[in-house]
Amino acid sequence: METQHPSPITRHPSPITHHLTFRKMLRLSFKSDDTEEWLDKYFTRPIGLVFAIGWMKLGVHPNVVTILSIFLGVGAGYMFYFTDLTHNLLGVLLLMLANFCDSTDGQMARITGKKTLIGRMLDGFSGDVWFFAVYLALLLRMGRMWEPALGLWAYLASFALCFTASIVCHSPQSSLADYYRQIHLYFLLGREGSELDSYSSQRRIYEQLPKSRWLDRIFYYNYANYCHSQEQRTPCFQRFFRQVKERWPNAEDMPQQLRDDFRRGSLPLMKYTNLLTFNSRAILIYITCLLNVPYVYPLVEITIYSLLYWHMHRTHERLCQSFSSKCW
C-alpha cells in the first residue's frame, strides 16, 4: 500500500474555467483520489463533466440540473415496476442519467463556485427521492409477483422486506459511509476540503435563524439530526476527534505525521464506503430487475451489505480508539 501523502485536490472558490483543459477541469471536480470510486473516476465523472460543460455554456444553474435528476430518478423507479425488458432497460438508462446529472451538479458547483444552501438541500433530497421511487416500485412488483400464491400477504411480505432494506439498512449504511469519507477528507485536505459538520454547530445555526427563514430552518434542523445520528454511532471517533480539536482547533495545524498515519489507517476503509453508496446498489438493481428477481436486491441489502457495514464500523472505531490512546 502506498503510504506517501498524495498531492491534494483543492477546491477553488471561483475558478476561471475557460483556459483549463478537460483533464484539469476533471481533476478540479474530484474531491480526492482517495475517496473517488474507480467507476466514478473513469466513467461517471468524465461523462458528468461533459454534461457540466454543456450546461455551463447554456448558463444553467447546478440546482436546475439537480431538479432534473429527481424527475429522472422517479421515472427510473416507475420503469422498474414492470417486468418486461423494454421498461427495465429504460429504467437503467433513466437512473444512469439521473446519476450523471447528480455528478454534474456537484462538478458544476465545485468548478464554478456556485454553491448554495438550496443546492445542499436538493443534493441530499434527490438521492432519497430516487431510492424511495425504486423501493416503492420493487415493493409493488414483488407483491404482484407473489400475489397469486400468497394473496394480500404478498404485499405485506414485500413491504417488510423493502422497509427493512431501505430504512433499517440502506439509510444508516449510506449515512455512515458518507461520514467516514468526510472524516478521511478532513485529515487529508483539512477543513476546506471536507464537509465534516457537527450536530452542535448545525443545531446552533438552526436556533439562530429567524423563524421567517423557515426553509433554511427545516434544512438545518434535519441536517443537525443527520449529524447527530452519525455521531451517536461513532463514540470512539468522537473521543479521538475531541482530543484533536482541543489541541489543534484548525485542521491545518495538525502534525503531518498524525494526518499521514490516520490516512494510512482510514484508506483501506474507503472501498467499503464506496460499496455502501450509489454505484454498487445501482448495478445490483439493474441486474436483479433485468433478471426479474427483484427480491434479491433487498435480501442483499439486509445480509451482505449489513455485514460490510458492520465490518467497516467496527474497524473504524478500533482505528480511532488506537489513536485516542496515543499521546500526540
Side-chain angles (χ1 to χ4, degrees), residues 67-80:
I67 293 170
L68 175 61
S69 79
I70 293 173
F71 286 101
L72 292 169
V74 171
Y78 175 73
M79 294 299 170
F80 289 132

Side-chain angles (χ1 to χ4, degrees), residues 91 118 173 181 189 211 231 236 279 319:
I118 193 70
Q173 289 168 6
R181 282 196 293 200
L189 303 178
K211 291 185 178 180
E231 292 172 0
C236 292
N279 285 333
L319 172 69

Side-chain angles (χ1 to χ4, degrees), residues 79 81-89 141 289-290 292:
M79 294 299 170
Y81 166 72
F82 300 96
T83 58
D84 62 281
L85 183 62
T86 301
H87 279 94
N88 280 246
L89 286 175
R141 180 171 174 169
C289 285
L290 289 170
N292 198 26

Side-chain angles (χ1 to χ4, degrees), residues 290-316:
L290 289 170
L291 295 177
N292 198 26
V293 287
Y295 49 86
V296 172
Y297 172 73
L299 287 173
V300 171
E301 282 268 20
I302 295 168
T303 55
I304 296 174
Y305 278 50
S306 292
L307 287 173
L308 293 175
Y309 170 80
W310 173 78
H311 173 73
M312 177 186 71
H313 178 249
R314 185 187 67 164
T315 305
H316 197 275

Side-chain angles (χ1 to χ4, degrees), residues 35-192:
T35 54
E36 290 287 345
E37 193 173 356
W38 182 91
L39 189 62
D40 285 334
K41 288 173 68 174
Y42 297 104
F43 181 66
T44 307
R45 300 289 189 228
I47 295 176
L49 182 56
V50 172
F51 279 77
I53 293 170
W55 292 124
M56 285 189 291
K57 287 182 178 179
L58 293 173
V60 178
H61 196 279
N63 293 347
V64 176
V65 182
T66 308
I67 293 170
L68 175 61
S69 79
I70 293 173
F71 286 101
L72 292 169
V74 171
Y78 175 73
M79 294 299 170
F80 289 132
Y81 166 72
F82 300 96
T83 58
D84 62 281
L85 183 62
T86 301
H87 279 94
N88 280 246
L89 286 175
L90 284 172
V92 171
L93 177 62
L94 288 172
L95 194 55
M96 288 178 68
L97 287 173
N99 190 38
F100 289 144
C101 286
D102 182 64
S103 176
T104 294
D105 64 8
Q107 288 171 295
M108 288 173 68
R110 282 189 288 273
I111 292 170
T112 64
K114 293 181 179 179
K115 299 179 183 179
T116 63
L117 179 59
I118 193 70
R120 292 181 68 189
M121 295 181 195
L122 288 171
D123 190 53
F125 179 68
S126 61
D128 292 339
V129 174
W130 302 352
F131 276 101
F132 175 81
V134 169
Y135 279 113
L136 180 60
L138 295 182
L139 187 160
L140 295 174
R141 180 171 174 169
M142 289 186 291
R144 187 158 56 100
M145 287 176 60
W146 296 337
E147 187 177 17
L150 300 176
L152 179 61
W153 288 103
Y155 289 96
L156 293 175
S158 300
F159 174 80
L161 199 58
C162 288
F163 179 86
T164 304
S166 60
I167 304 300
V168 179
C169 299
H170 183 152
S171 182
Q173 289 168 6
S174 59
S175 69
L176 200 63
D178 177 64
Y179 193 50
Y180 286 158
R181 282 196 293 200
Q182 298 307 325
I183 292 169
H184 188 89
L185 289 169
Y186 183 89
F187 283 87
L188 178 65
L189 303 178
R191 185 66 185 91
E192 292 302 314

